[in-house]
Amino acid sequence: MSIRLLVSDVDGTLVDKQKNLTPATITAVRRLQAAGVGFTIISARPKSGIMPLVEALGLDAPVAAFNGGLVFRASGEVIEHHRIDPAVARAVWDAIGDAQVDRWVFADDRWYASTDQGGHVDSERRASAQEPIVTDDFAGLLDRADKITFVSDDEPLLRALHDRIAPAHGERATIVQSQTYYLDVTAAEGNKGSGIAELAAAFAVPLSQTAAIGDQANDIAMLKRAGLAIAMGNAPDAVKAHASAVTLANDADGVAHAIDTIILNGDHHS
């Protein structure tokens, strides 16, 4: 099996725990491209959080934000844009009710938040490369939301919320945890399974010759569709179960390791 395209998740995968792109990863991506293999990224991040990586890697290829809800080029050309169905956004919002979670809505390439305090806000400042707009009035934003995120360090609470809203709305939206402390809602097409298919089509590469690499539950949809599925060393076992290869952790340049030992070295199962 010859791999002609690698699609990488970002947080927990391509960047380290400080959300930095390391020199080793940048040079490995260049080696991959020099060998004639395409490279692109897909992330739950908004466009503003992907552009710094696009610039650092010198990518002029299509990339995907909001788990594939927005596929675009660095030039600004939009290839696909799927927002959350407004009726579903409102129904999910109502279903969450007064649960003890922080609320974020991404719309118009801006980040609206119920609070600007807390460690996850600081983390999202780095990931989205912008400041939150604090508000308690989200009603108008739900008509044009790219992503809604419910934030809590109470993982059982988030899992319970997922189990409450996913059966009711999961056919009309993508509802998945992108981290243990984030419950994301994106458009039905805003899932990494659809996203990797859109990216592969934009590169004119069949999915059978496409590799995917990721670390979280929202990456499983693309790992299932890729010809070669690679899990990060820091991924939970439930994600590794969907991979044919496991690389090092994101703090040990796992993507660079996968590029050199699995993809360019051809050390993978067909």
Side-chain angles (χ1 to χ4, degrees), residues 12 19 28 62 88 124 134 137 154 178 183 186 191 209 215:
K19 301 199 181 290
V88 175
E124 186 62 23
V134 178
D137 181 12
D154 184 346
S178 60
L183 177 58
T186 48
N191 74 82
Q209 292 185 293
D215 74 306

Short mmCIF file of all heavy atoms in Angstrom, two decimals, residues 12 19 28 62 88 124 134 137 154 178 183 186 191 209 215:
data_model
loop_
_atom_site.label_atom_id
_atom_site.label_comp_id
_atom_site.label_asym_id
_atom_site.label_seq_id
_atom_site.Cartn_x
_atom_site.Cartn_y
_atom_site.Cartn_z
N GLY A 12 -2.99 17.43 20.73
CA GLY A 12 -2.72 16.08 21.22
C GLY A 12 -2.02 15.22 20.19
O GLY A 12 -1.67 14.07 20.46
N LYS A 19 1.07 23.21 22.96
CA LYS A 19 0.44 23.56 21.68
C LYS A 19 1.44 24.19 20.70
O LYS A 19 1.09 24.98 19.84
CB LYS A 19 -0.78 24.48 21.87
CG LYS A 19 -1.85 23.81 22.75
CD LYS A 19 -3.21 24.44 22.58
CE LYS A 19 -4.25 23.79 23.48
NZ LYS A 19 -4.60 22.42 23.07
N ALA A 28 10.01 17.01 9.50
CA ALA A 28 9.48 15.72 9.06
C ALA A 28 8.40 15.91 8.00
O ALA A 28 8.33 15.15 7.02
CB ALA A 28 8.93 14.94 10.25
N PRO A 62 -5.66 22.38 0.78
CA PRO A 62 -6.87 22.49 1.60
C PRO A 62 -6.63 21.93 3.00
O PRO A 62 -5.94 20.92 3.17
CB PRO A 62 -7.89 21.62 0.84
CG PRO A 62 -7.36 21.54 -0.56
CD PRO A 62 -5.87 21.56 -0.43
N VAL A 88 -31.27 22.45 15.54
CA VAL A 88 -30.52 21.49 16.36
C VAL A 88 -29.69 22.23 17.40
O VAL A 88 -29.62 21.82 18.57
CB VAL A 88 -29.63 20.60 15.47
CG1 VAL A 88 -28.76 19.68 16.32
CG2 VAL A 88 -30.48 19.79 14.51
N GLU A 124 -7.48 27.58 25.13
CA GLU A 124 -8.19 27.89 23.89
C GLU A 124 -7.69 29.19 23.26
O GLU A 124 -7.72 29.34 22.03
CB GLU A 124 -9.70 27.96 24.13
CG GLU A 124 -10.54 28.15 22.88
CD GLU A 124 -10.42 27.01 21.88
OE1 GLU A 124 -10.06 25.88 22.29
OE2 GLU A 124 -10.68 27.25 20.70
N VAL A 134 -16.82 37.73 25.86
CA VAL A 134 -17.65 37.22 26.96
C VAL A 134 -19.08 37.72 26.79
O VAL A 134 -19.32 38.90 26.55
CB VAL A 134 -17.08 37.65 28.32
CG1 VAL A 134 -17.97 37.17 29.45
CG2 VAL A 134 -15.66 37.10 28.50
N ASP A 137 -25.59 36.10 26.32
CA ASP A 137 -26.69 36.08 25.35
C ASP A 137 -26.21 35.39 24.07
O ASP A 137 -25.62 36.02 23.19
CB ASP A 137 -27.18 37.49 25.06
CG ASP A 137 -28.34 37.51 24.07
OD1 ASP A 137 -28.90 36.42 23.81
OD2 ASP A 137 -28.68 38.59 23.57
N ASP A 154 -15.35 17.97 34.95
CA ASP A 154 -16.13 16.86 35.48
C ASP A 154 -16.45 15.93 34.32
O ASP A 154 -17.49 16.05 33.67
CB ASP A 154 -17.41 17.41 36.14
CG ASP A 154 -18.25 16.33 36.80
OD1 ASP A 154 -18.01 15.13 36.53
OD2 ASP A 154 -19.15 16.69 37.58
N SER A 178 -13.90 16.15 21.99
CA SER A 178 -12.61 16.35 21.34
C SER A 178 -11.48 16.27 22.37
O SER A 178 -10.32 16.06 22.02
CB SER A 178 -12.56 17.69 20.61
OG SER A 178 -12.76 18.75 21.52
N LEU A 183 -16.97 18.95 25.22
CA LEU A 183 -18.02 18.28 24.45
C LEU A 183 -18.38 19.20 23.29
O LEU A 183 -18.91 20.29 23.50
CB LEU A 183 -19.24 17.99 25.33
CG LEU A 183 -20.45 17.35 24.63
CD1 LEU A 183 -20.08 16.03 23.97
CD2 LEU A 183 -21.59 17.16 25.61
N THR A 186 -20.85 20.07 16.27
CA THR A 186 -20.59 20.69 14.96
C THR A 186 -21.68 20.19 14.00
O THR A 186 -22.53 19.39 14.35
CB THR A 186 -19.19 20.32 14.43
OG1 THR A 186 -18.97 18.91 14.55
CG2 THR A 186 -18.10 21.05 15.20
N ASN A 191 -17.65 16.27 10.78
CA ASN A 191 -17.04 15.15 11.51
C ASN A 191 -15.83 14.70 10.71
O ASN A 191 -15.77 14.89 9.48
CB ASN A 191 -18.04 14.01 11.70
CG ASN A 191 -18.32 13.24 10.42
OD1 ASN A 191 -17.57 12.35 10.04
ND2 ASN A 191 -19.40 13.61 9.74
N GLN A 209 -5.39 5.26 -0.16
CA GLN A 209 -3.99 5.69 -0.17
C GLN A 209 -3.77 6.89 0.76
O GLN A 209 -2.79 7.62 0.64
CB GLN A 209 -3.56 6.04 -1.60
CG GLN A 209 -3.52 4.83 -2.51
CD GLN A 209 -2.98 5.18 -3.88
OE1 GLN A 209 -3.61 5.91 -4.65
NE2 GLN A 209 -1.82 4.65 -4.21
N ASP A 215 -5.61 11.28 18.14
CA ASP A 215 -5.48 10.82 19.53
C ASP A 215 -6.77 10.78 20.32
O ASP A 215 -6.78 10.29 21.45
CB ASP A 215 -4.49 11.73 20.28
CG ASP A 215 -5.10 13.09 20.61
OD1 ASP A 215 -5.58 13.77 19.67
OD2 ASP A 215 -5.11 13.49 21.78
#
